[in-house]
Amino acid sequence: MSGTTLDPRGDVPGRIMAREMAEQPAVLRRLLDEGAGPIRRVAREIAARRPRFVLLTARGTSDNAALYAKYLLEIRLGLPCGLASMSTTTAYGARPDLTDVLVITVSQSGGSPDLVASTQAARAAGAITLAVTNNPDSALAGISEHHIDILAGPERALPATKTYTASLLALYLFVEGLRDGDGAPARVLPGLAEQLLARHDEVRALAARYRFAERMVITSRGYGYPTAKEAALKLMETSYIPALSYSGADLLHGPLAMVDNVSPVIAVVTDGRGGEALRPVLDRLRGRGADLVVIGPREHVERASAGFVMPTENVAEEVQPVLEIIPLQLLAHEVTIARGQDPDAPRALAKVTETS
């Protein structure tokens, strides 16, 4: 690797996370080349059963991928969706009628007991069950009627990176399969991901600016909102900075009062309708003198305190989240190292979280 990209050496903090972030272009290519066909076949089988509603089930990073799928399904297909509350079945024993409901469970490991139990209960209640995992031999894949392998390869760093972007792409290809689309807009992603990773020095400069931040607010709208949530999670779990994520619309309903010129506000501005919807929020933030960081189009970055220009001028809005998260993963990695911590091993975390 060149000196401007991630350092995978064995003697530096964050080397495992760095290596796995650097693998993302190859993972995206593999999923497009080897995974698209199987995903399309699963999608066609499920489409033939004409589900009336979709429930999405996940935890942590996978929950943010599921939220992205919710936007895709509602916008691209007009199919109503909800995010499942697993405790209603695992803790309270509720047994709703899920006949003709598609239940999609997203999990990197496929091993969390509550995900397995809630999926098992959903299938018993008549649901069409689909597991989206990085482990085809997992318990979750075994008890689900259908399975999609995101083909990300083993992920050793505790902060999920390549499994997140692979989950997004897999879910996009699945939704495209449901609507009989060809998924062509995703073909640009591996090359653009490589370009973003090569701009690591730009992100390192941002990290130096915000290494002493005591709090961050991250906001977006539309397809960018799951990116805001995932970026907040990455910052919290690696650097321990309290990072609050809000839809731009929700930010104006109260939380705007905490914004000042000290704590950074990161705005993920998708190039499209989501970015247009965020414009009034950006105006309000600038009006309050916020230290505004924009991840998005050049026109918005130039009006912010700092930012990172995204190469998304000719990229379909619905696949931009696969790219938007990459500079924010890099930011979490670099801020953590600048604060003297190791992003590979956040305290109190395990790779498989066994909630029940």
Side-chain angles (χ1 to χ4, degrees):
M1 293 185 181
S2 71
T4 59
T5 55
L6 299 169
D7 189 342
R9 294 176 302 168
D11 58 349
V12 295
R15 62 189 181 277
I16 302 173
M17 184 181 177
R19 183 169 61 243
E20 290 172 351
M21 286 189 290
E23 290 175 14
Q24 289 176 109
V27 170
L28 297 174
R29 284 195 181 93
R30 180 163 62 245
L31 193 51
L32 287 166
D33 293 342
E34 302 174 20
I39 290 171
R40 183 176 178 82
R41 286 192 288 275
V42 168
R44 297 318 300 156
E45 289 176 15
I46 291 174
R49 296 174 65 176
R50 303 179 66 84
R52 60 184 172 87
F53 190 85
V54 180
L55 275 176
L56 294 144
T57 307
R59 295 286 191 203
T61 284
S62 294
D63 201 32
N64 299 326
L67 179 59
Y68 167 70
K70 184 177 188 293
Y71 276 89
L72 284 173
L73 288 159
E74 292 185 342
I75 295 169
R76 307 284 285 169
L77 291 177
L79 195 57
C81 301
L83 299 176
S85 300
M86 281 176 279
S87 62
T88 62
T89 55
T90 61
Y92 291 92
R95 292 294 180 264
D97 180 3
L98 298 179
T99 305
D100 299 327
V101 172
L102 171 60
V103 173
I104 303 174
T105 306
V106 187
S107 171
Q108 298 148 37
S109 68
S112 184
D114 59 346
L115 294 170
V116 173
S118 64
T119 301
Q120 201 162 25
R123 190 168 182 181
I128 308 161
T129 53
L130 167 64
V132 179
T133 82
N134 195 38
N135 184 1
D137 298 320
S138 63
L140 180 62
I143 59 97
S144 299
E145 188 176 355
H146 303 278
H147 177 253
I148 287 173
D149 187 350
I150 65 172
L151 301 175
E155 190 172 57
R156 293 178 55 220
L158 288 178
T161 55
K162 64 179 182 174
T163 53
Y164 179 70
T165 49
S167 295
L168 296 187
L169 179 54
L171 289 162
Y172 169 76
L173 293 172
F174 171 68
V175 174
E176 281 295 283
L178 290 177
R179 62 189 294 271
D180 204 24
D182 61 7
R187 287 285 163 186
V188 302
L189 296 176
L192 290 174
E194 284 180 340
Q195 292 178 29
L196 292 170
L197 289 163
R199 294 166 61 192
H200 191 197
D201 283 353
E202 293 180 49
V203 179
R204 190 175 289 120
L206 277 178
R209 178 184 176 109
Y210 297 116
R211 63 179 293 190
F212 297 115
E214 295 183 358
R215 181 187 68 206
M216 290 187 181
V217 174
I218 308 176
T219 188
S220 190
R221 290 203 69 180
Y223 285 114
Y225 181 43
T227 306
K229 290 177 68 66
E230 174 62 12
L233 177 59
K234 282 292 156 288
L235 284 161
M236 287 189 288
E237 70 181 355
T238 56
S239 69
Y240 320 138
I241 296 174
L244 308 172
S245 59
Y246 295 100
S247 157
D250 287 333
L251 184 63
L252 297 183
H253 286 270
L256 186 67
M258 70 178 173
V259 172
D260 54 30
N261 62 358
V262 177
S263 300
V265 178
I266 300 175
V268 180
V269 185
T270 303
D271 195 351
R273 294 187 183 184
E276 288 300 311
L278 196 62
R279 280 182 183 270
V281 181
L282 300 177
D283 291 341
R284 292 285 297 277
L285 289 168
R286 283 190 293 265
R288 289 189 61 81
D291 184 358
L292 178 62
V293 184
V294 167
I295 309 297
R298 183 175 299 277
E299 63 166 307
H300 291 287
V301 172
E302 289 176 345
R303 299 185 64 196
S305 307
F308 186 97
V309 176
M310 292 294 295
T312 50
E313 295 87 350
N314 299 307
V315 180
E317 183 179 1
E318 59 269 19
V319 298
Q320 289 180 36
V322 180
L323 301 173
E324 288 167 342
I325 191 59
I326 292 175
L328 292 161
Q329 291 172 343
L330 293 171
L331 182 65
H333 180 270
E334 287 302 316
V335 166
T336 304
I337 291 173
R339 290 164 70 95
Q341 295 147 204
D342 186 352
D344 285 342
R347 63 193 181 205
L349 294 182
K351 193 62 183 170
V352 179
T353 303
E354 296 194 353
T355 49
S356 61

